[in-house]
Amino acid sequence: MKVVLLQMDICKNDAEENRRRAAQAMAKEPGADLYVLPEMFDTGFCPRPGEGALRPHEETLQWMLHLAARHNCALTGSLAVEEEGHYYNRMYFVEPQGTVTGYNKRHLFTYGGEQRHYVAGKERVTVEFRGFRILLQVCYDLRFPVFSRNRGDYDLAVYVASWPASRNEVWKVLLRARAIENQCYVLGVNRVGSDEAGSYSGDSQVVDAYGRVVAGAEPGKVAQVAAELSPDELQKFRRKFPVLEDGDPFSIPF
């Protein structure tokens, strides 16, 4: 499966311009099975969605559906979503035939006050697409390995983020850790540019199950990162070195 990470500079609260930038970036790396966009890629991160110029997310979701059908691919990224007076940081996975899967960010960034304005998700979500079982994760989720622990139910973990440049080394280390401990591919897509909260270095990466960075973006630059993922090679490694079979049983109480 060919994947492309879209490391974007996001224009604050300008969904039309951000969709234009994303479509332009996709055109520079055509023919992918999966395109991955950053966290809240159409508006930039909205710390107080009820007070800002947040537009309804449906227009961007329809845009994702249109491009998925047009290019016979899947698109994923998160949006700020309002439903019945509540806000969610929701990661959508949109498939070419029109299937839409949503995952509400479980771990809200309390250091930045995200929990005061958004409702946390309560379910871990995976989706199957073109030979891969894919775990959907958003930004701060990366710091919580129990929630993402592989129970033999996924092959690829996708993290979309607005991760600050001041903690970029943590980002890079944890992406590799999640890949190693879960014997899976990991895609980490982070934005570049800056907003009122600070600056973002990107450091978007494709990591294999050995913890090797097989493709990465230049820090601080708008970029498209392409890589080929092989489910056969992944299963071969898991059979050769069956770490997951020795994991501890556990459950998450929610």
Side-chain angles (χ1 to χ4, degrees), residues 3-249:
V3 299
V4 173
L5 317 185
L6 302 178
Q7 183 165 286
M8 296 175 56
D9 186 353
I10 300 171
C11 185
K12 186 70 173 180
N13 288 329
D14 191 341
E16 185 175 354
E17 172 61 17
N18 291 321
R19 291 192 296 264
R20 186 194 68 80
R21 293 181 183 186
Q24 187 177 59
M26 289 174 62
K28 292 180 179 179
E29 194 65 58
D33 297 288
L34 172 62
Y35 291 90
V36 186
L37 296 141
E39 181 181 22
M40 295 192 189
F41 69 89
D42 70 334
T43 59
F45 189 81
C46 298
R48 294 174 296 278
E51 301 172 16
L54 182 65
R55 297 175 61 182
H57 75 284
E58 289 87 353
E59 187 174 343
T60 296
L61 181 57
Q62 290 303 313
W63 171 87
M64 294 175 74
L65 284 161
H66 172 74
L67 285 189
R70 178 180 177 185
H71 297 289
N72 189 30
C73 66
L75 275 75
T76 190
S78 95
L79 305 173
V81 173
E82 181 183 8
E83 287 184 350
E84 299 180 351
H86 298 290
Y87 292 97
Y88 302 88
N89 187 343
R90 181 171 298 165
M91 185 175 179
Y92 281 114
F93 190 97
V94 174
E95 300 180 44
Q97 75 275 22
T99 301
V100 177
T101 302
Y103 159 67
N104 292 328
K105 183 179 181 181
R106 168 63 183 169
H107 298 95
L108 302 179
F109 190 47
T110 55
Y111 181 81
E114 187 178 11
Q115 84 288 356
R116 293 197 292 267
H117 303 279
Y118 291 87
V119 177
K122 297 186 180 299
E123 296 182 1
R124 200 173 81 151
V125 176
T126 61
V127 61
E128 293 190 24
F129 185 70
R130 295 186 179 172
F132 279 88
R133 299 168 300 167
I134 303 169
L135 176 70
L136 306 181
Q137 300 273 273
V138 179
C139 202
Y140 195 43
D141 287 333
L142 182 61
R143 287 183 178 267
F144 300 92
V146 173
F147 185 66
S148 63
R149 182 61 176 167
N150 198 334
R151 309 165 201 173
D153 58 345
Y154 72 87
D155 312 299
L156 166 64
V158 181
Y159 291 88
V160 301
S162 293
W163 195 284
S166 59
R167 293 187 286 275
N168 67 325
E169 290 301 320
V170 176
W171 162 259
K172 291 185 288 185
V173 168
L174 291 181
L175 289 175
R176 296 181 65 198
R178 297 295 88 83
I180 293 167
E181 69 196 10
N182 294 304
Q183 284 197 304
C184 68
Y185 286 106
V186 167
L187 308 182
V189 182
N190 189 27
R191 66 162 294 183
V192 294
S194 61
D195 60 17
E196 67 274 14
S199 61
Y200 306 89
S201 61
D203 291 296
S204 300
Q205 297 181 347
V206 179
V207 185
D208 70 11
Y210 293 87
R212 301 176 299 200
V213 178
V214 298
E218 182 179 353
K221 303 290 185 181
V222 172
Q224 301 82 47
V225 179
E228 290 282 348
L229 310 184
S230 170
D232 293 336
E233 287 299 315
L234 178 62
Q235 295 307 324
K236 180 180 178 181
F237 173 52
R238 287 175 170 176
R239 289 192 297 269
K240 177 182 177 181
F241 191 54
V243 173
L244 294 178
E245 296 178 9
D246 295 326
D248 301 301

